[in-house]
Each structure stands twice: as structure tokens, then as C-alpha cells.
Amino acid sequence: MNPLADALVAPLEMRGDAVLVRPDGSEMPGDVLYRLSGRIANVLVDAGVRPGDRVAMQTEKSPEALALYLACLRAGGLFLPLNTAYTAAEIDYFLGDAEPRVAICVPAAEAALRAVTESKGITLLTLDGAATGTLVERAAEAPEDFASVTRRADDLAAILYTSGTTGRSKGAMLSHGNLLSNADALIETWRFAAADILLHALPIFHVHGLFVATNVMLRVGGRMIFLPKFDVDSVLAQLPRATAMMGVPTFYTRLLGDGRLTREATSHMRLFTSGSAPLLAETHRAFEARTGHRILERYGMSETTMSTSNPYDGERRAGTVGLPLPGVELRIVDAESGVDVPQGEIGILEVRGPNVFKGYWRMPEKSADEFREDGFFVTGDMARIDADGYITIVGRAKDLVISGGYNVYPKEVEGEIDGVEGVVESAVIGAPHADFGEGVVAIVVRVPGSEIEAEDIMAALHDRLAKFKQPKAIFFIDELPRNTMGKVQKNALREMFGDVFAED
Ligand code: MCA
Ligand code: AMP
């Protein structure tokens, strides 16, 4: 038994039809994907991967990258996908913390990572978006037969790094049972079936694109149009062939910005879902007015995968994230006391259920801190539950910016800026941004006499932080506003700089 390999990979062996369709129309049939996953599983085992070992991947999205995920499940490894935007400095931390047996990167990053992987005894292989690299070379030589390693529902399947509010990234450990139960809950709630064709434009290094999208489609025996990334032209070209699309709010605002998004262009679609960041009620309404489709918004986290969803048949209420998924329990508590707030009031959202992760990798104390004694996980999101059970996310107790669906932890960015010569200190906030939802803004205090400018700070961050974490605006200020306890008052900064991206 291997819960995920049995549910997602084994059924592919007998599927001669396309599971993945590339943008040029070429197809990857299920049995080909199955055999490729067997070859790659043999490569991983040859490289020393044993059950429980980590396999890190930072590569472009491609059918081969998906085969690597499936191979890792078959070999009993823990899949560790990494954002392609991360710099070598960021990757260094993940490799040091997770200590993978094998890491797979794009050929262009190989030289920069080689020193790190050699010093840590990690086997480094390459894979690019065009299916070349040492991983596929080795796979071509390897046998396709591979007996999936036995795993139980409680065994880990993946580690997803999600930064902490303290600045250090934490690896959320997700089990076979977590991922399979969530895929089943979503299939039931969203009515996925083998006839579905998902327009897949999300990256596959996060829960949304990897577990919500691909696990659901593999489990149900459907098909995916596998775009390397989101772009409006490709999505509009493929919509007439798809039945469903999952996206972050930026997908929908960008599509709405294009006159080709019409009722006709989306007439073949049965479902659009949104998540990873708040979908503005105005986007929901504009999309319905233009296409006739009511976007179905859901809510989740790397630690919990999906927890809530608007209903498929019932009312999809704009501005809310809907109701708990089957098997998931939610409650709203007072942040200080941990006691349930009266119905309708705002508090911290807590989650318990088969979807909730097994803790943070090698951080038992941090894990314990974020769980209540009765097993509820404290999300750090502020929410309210209506009388009829609909949940609205009203804000975040955690200091976090979500830009285009990617999380940016102010503490991490501040730490990097504070290290730049000529800077005393900084504060990072999110300001409303028409395209990304929130845009990162840094407010910086210079050392007296320093003439450091925004360009100097940007130059210093270039190799240190992924592009999406870098500020889109930098302001200088004489001193940061603080309360009597000495804490920086970010609300005051949001008032001062919150309209920086406002369009006139
Ligand atoms: C790219 N840039 C960004 C972002 N993406 N800046 C801020 N935020 C971003 N998200 C940078 C680029 O490096 C570029 O910089 C400039 O902004 C414009 O790039 P552009 O070509 O417009 O960007 P893009 O390549 O089109 O990407 C935008 C995107 C992408 C399509 C929205 O960010 C995306 O696919 N986001 C999805 C994120 C996601 O899957 N999140 C799920 C995780 P320059 O011009 O200076 O070079 S959350 C999750 O999994 C939880 C569990 C959940 O609930 O789902
Ligand atoms: P991540 O750590 O990348 O998994 O991001 C999880 C966070 O994204 C959650 O804690 C929320 O703050 C946010 N999030 C996800 N979906 C939604 C949504 N539909 N509405 C508002 N926030 C969301």
C-alpha cells in the first residue's frame, strides 16, 4: 500500500488517453507518464533515496517535473518543491534545513548550486522545461518497472516551505492522508469527473497548483492542459477546450482586462475557482457580468491544504470563502484567550481535520505553539462566520503580504534591507495593487549622512531575495512611527503609503 501512489499513479498504467496536453497540442498519455515516473523512481533510488528522504525540485513546470513528483511518491520520498524565483541564497537555506538526498534544478542554476550540494552530500541533477537535463538522461537508461514503496496514510509525502512571521521559513509536513483526503473532499465539493479538462496555468511548486489542481485531476482520471505559466493570450486560446480553471485573483483581474474574455469564450467552462489571496467582491461581480460565471472562491493554507469552499450548487457568495469542506471543523476564537467568540464576531480562525498537517519540519516547539491542546491549528487569519455558516476572511493577525498569490514575509525583507550599508532600519508593508492585490512597499530610515537611494537598496537585494519579494516602491523617512511599547506601527505606515499604487 502507498496511498498516493495507489490513488494517483497506479491508474495511469492502463490509460492510453492524454493526461496532459501541452500548449502546442501535443499530448502525454497516462501510460507514458506512468512509465516515466517508474524510470525516474529508479533514478532516485539509485541516487540513494530511501523512504522518508527528501527530494528537492526547483525547475520549470513541465510534464517531466510532474513525473518527478509522482516518482518521488512511488519511491516513498518527501517531495520538496521550490519556487523557481528563489535565488541561490534562498535555496541554500532550504537545502541546509531539509537536507534532501537529491536536488533537481534547471541547468542554468547548476553551477551556482554545485558548491552547496557538494558540501552537503546532495546529488544534484538537472531538468529544464524542454525535457532535457541529467535527470531525463539518467531516466532514459533506467528500467521503467518500479514497485511503489509501502507507505501508510500517516507517512509524510511532501514538505512545503512557508515563511514564518519570525522570518525563518518553516517546512510544513504533509502526509499521504492529508493530501488524499483533501483531493477527495474537493472532488466531491467541486463535482470533478473523468470528463473534466482543467486549464492548468498555476505553478506546481505550491499547494494550489500541485495538490489542489494535479492531485484532483489525477485522482479523478481527468485531463490537464498544462501551460508552463499563466499568460492571458494562452489562457484565452485554451479556454474553449477546457471545462474548469483554478486561479489566483490576479488571473481573473488580468483576464478581465482583456476584451476577448466574453460569454462565448467561456461557454465550454463549467467551473472557475479562486484562492491563495482574497478575491475582491468587485472582481467576482465583474467576472459574472462579463461571462455569466460566478467564480467559486475557496480558502486554504500550505499547513492545512484546503479548508473551506463556496458551494457548487448553492450560493457562491462574493467576498466570502464559503463553508467548511467535508470532514473539516472550523471555529473562530479570541486571539488572546483562545475562547470561541460569539457567532458573527471577528476572531482568529482555527482548523481541525484530516487536511491539517503534521507539524513543521524539525521545529517541534514551533509546531506545538501553533496547535491548541484539542488539535485545532491556529491559522493566523482573522475571520467571521455568518449565521448561515459562510466564512469571511477579514484580515490577518500575522504580518504577511500576499502579492499575486505569493506570500511575502515583511520580517524577511526587512532583515535583508536592514543589512544594507547606510540603512538604520526598515518596515515593509503591503499596499493595495490593482494587478497583484497587494504590492510590497519598504519604508527605510537612512544612517544620518548616508545618501543611499532606492536603486542601491534594490541592487543589494537582487541576489538575496526572489523578485516577487522585492519592494515595488521604497520610501525614506526620518524615523518609523512607534507605539509606547516601541513597536513599529504598521497601520500608521499603511495610512501614509497605502495609496502608492493607486491609479489616478
Ligand atoms: C511575478 N512578479 C511578481 C509576482 N509574480 N511580483 C509580485 N508578486 C508576484 N506574484 C514580478 C516579476 O518578476 C516581474 O518583475 C514583474 O513582477 C511582472 O511580472 P509578470 O510577467 O507580470 O508576472 P508573471 O510572470 O505574469 O506572474 C504573475 C502571476 C504569478 C501569474 C500572478 O505570480 C503566479 O502565477 N502566481 C500564482 C501564485 C500561486 O500559485 N500561489 C499559490 C500559493 P520584473 O518586471 O521587474 O522583471 S498559496 C497556496 O498554495 C495556498 C495553499 C492556497 O490557498 O492556494
Ligand atoms: P500559504 O502560506 O502560501 O499557504 O498562504 C496561505 C494564506 O493565504 C492563508 O493563511 C490566507 O491568509 C491566504 N489565503 C488563501 N486563500 C485565501 C482566500 N480565498 N481569501 C483570503 N486569503 C486567502
Side-chain angles (χ1 to χ4, degrees):
M1 176 182 100
N2 177 321
L4 285 169
D6 295 349
L8 309 182
V9 196
L12 294 172
E13 188 178 4
M14 296 303 165
R15 277 188 66 181
D17 66 312
V19 170
L20 299 175
V21 183
R22 300 182 189 87
D24 65 4
S26 64
E27 298 181 344
M28 179 172 278
D31 51 359
V32 175
L33 182 58
Y34 179 80
R35 292 199 297 269
L36 182 59
S37 75
R39 289 179 189 278
I40 298 179
N42 279 309
V43 173
L44 296 178
V45 170
D46 274 356
V49 173
R50 299 290 171 267
D53 283 347
R54 280 73 60 208
V55 174
M57 174 187 94
Q58 189 195 28
T59 61
E60 302 305 328
K61 180 177 168 185
S62 67
E64 291 70 26
L66 186 65
L68 171 60
Y69 161 56
L70 301 180
C72 182
L73 294 176
R74 294 182 72 178
L78 272 57
F79 193 57
L80 169 51
L82 294 163
N83 194 321
T84 46
Y86 291 150
T87 62
E90 289 163 301
I91 296 295
D92 193 16
Y93 168 77
F94 296 120
L95 298 186
D97 192 55
E99 297 186 310
R101 179 76 56 197
V102 175
I104 294 96
C105 69
V106 290
E110 190 182 5
L113 289 183
R114 180 67 64 193
V116 181
T117 51
E118 272 177 7
S119 71
K120 299 187 198 312
I122 301 167
T123 301
L124 184 64
L125 299 172
T126 60
L127 173 66
D128 70 8
T132 58
T134 53
L135 178 73
V136 274
E137 283 162 22
R138 287 200 193 184
E141 306 285 307
E144 61 191 40
D145 286 338
F146 184 88
S148 293
V149 166
T150 299
R151 299 270 84 191
R152 290 182 325 241
D154 265 349
D155 285 327
L156 300 181
I159 298 183
L160 273 276
Y161 273 89
T162 158
S163 298
T165 34
T166 50
R168 250 189 92 203
S169 281
K170 302 168 291 183
M173 303 187 290
L174 294 162
S175 69
H176 280 251
N178 291 148
L179 299 179
L180 196 52
S181 68
N182 213 232
D184 286 339
L186 295 175
I187 289 167
E188 179 187 336
T189 306
W190 295 345
R191 309 280 167 84
F192 271 95
D196 271 308
I197 303 173
L198 182 78
L199 182 43
H200 192 306
L202 289 159
I204 56 167
F205 43 71
H206 277 306
V207 163
H208 198 167
L210 187 61
F211 302 140
V212 181
T214 66
N215 284 0
V216 161
M217 295 315 288
L218 292 171
R219 174 74 161 147
V220 87
R223 177 179 297 197
M224 290 176 264
I225 302 173
F226 219 51
L227 300 183
K229 66 184 285 270
F230 175 87
D231 81 87
V232 169
D233 288 340
S234 317
V235 166
L236 286 169
Q238 300 293 345
L239 273 178
R241 287 182 267 284
T243 64
M245 187 177 87
M246 300 177 185
V248 297
T250 300
F251 286 17
Y252 295 108
T253 47
R254 287 191 182 179
L255 284 169
L256 278 165
D258 195 300
R260 293 171 293 172
L261 179 80
T262 58
R263 206 167 270 265
E264 296 69 50
T266 56
S267 61
H268 190 242
M269 296 289 284
R270 70 167 186 88
L271 180 65
F272 290 93
T273 69
S274 178
S276 309
L279 181 78
L280 296 177
E282 108 198 21
T283 309
H284 194 278
R285 283 191 281 271
F287 200 83
E288 184 179 17
R290 184 87 72 81
T291 66
H293 290 278
R294 287 178 74 79
I295 298 171
L296 186 156
E297 185 172 5
R298 61 39 172 204
Y299 157 83
M301 277 181 87
S302 300
E303 288 91 334
T304 62
T305 62
M306 297 304 101
S307 292
T308 78
S309 172
N310 271 278
Y312 189 82
D313 285 328
E315 186 195 355
R316 298 181 193 172
R317 199 173 292 171
T320 83
V321 295
L323 309 156
L325 285 171
V328 175
E329 293 171 85
L330 294 182
R331 69 183 180 200
I332 313 255
V333 304
D334 178 81
E336 301 301 318
S337 64
V339 174
D340 285 37
V341 298
Q343 194 274 313
E345 287 188 15
I346 292 170
I348 300 255
L349 181 63
E350 300 188 344
V351 185
R352 184 167 71 179
N355 56 322
V356 176
F357 75 136
K358 302 291 170 196
Y360 295 110
W361 174 253
R362 290 182 180 164
M363 288 187 181
E365 282 161 22
K366 187 79 203 155
S367 309
D369 281 354
E370 301 201 13
F371 280 95
R372 303 280 182 197
E373 270 175 16
D374 56 5
F376 272 86
F377 170 67
V378 184
T379 64
D381 287 308
M382 305 294 294
R384 160 167 63 73
I385 305 191
D386 290 351
D388 52 1
Y390 279 73
I391 293 137
T392 305
I393 308 290
V394 298
R396 296 171 207 134
K398 48 196 173 189
D399 192 12
L400 162 68
V401 177
I402 304 185
S403 171
Y406 289 143
N407 287 5
V408 181
Y409 286 84
K411 189 96 185 158
E412 183 186 6
V413 183
E414 289 159 4
E416 292 295 340
I417 297 177
D418 295 353
V420 177
E421 205 175 318
V423 171
V424 176
E425 61 172 347
S426 62
V428 166
I429 56 169
H433 189 288
D435 187 28
F436 292 124
E438 289 181 287
V440 176
V441 179
I443 297 101
V444 178
V445 180
R446 289 190 184 97
V447 170
S450 164
E451 291 180 356
I452 189 166
E453 293 294 344
E455 305 84 83
D456 305 315
I457 292 176
M458 292 306 287
L461 298 184
H462 184 269
D463 291 336
R464 307 279 314 159
L465 285 180
K467 196 76 190 249
F468 69 88
K469 298 180 190 170
Q470 296 175 15
K472 299 223 183 282
I474 296 180
F475 294 96
F476 292 94
I477 195 169
D478 290 341
E479 60 180 314
L480 295 174
R482 294 194 131 86
N483 66 13
T484 48
M485 308 290 287
K487 193 170 180 295
V488 174
Q489 290 179 298
K490 293 210 167 174
N491 279 340
L493 291 172
R494 281 185 207 103
E495 269 177 35
M496 292 161 76
F497 300 103
D499 63 355
V500 48
F501 304 121
E503 284 156 6
D504 329 295

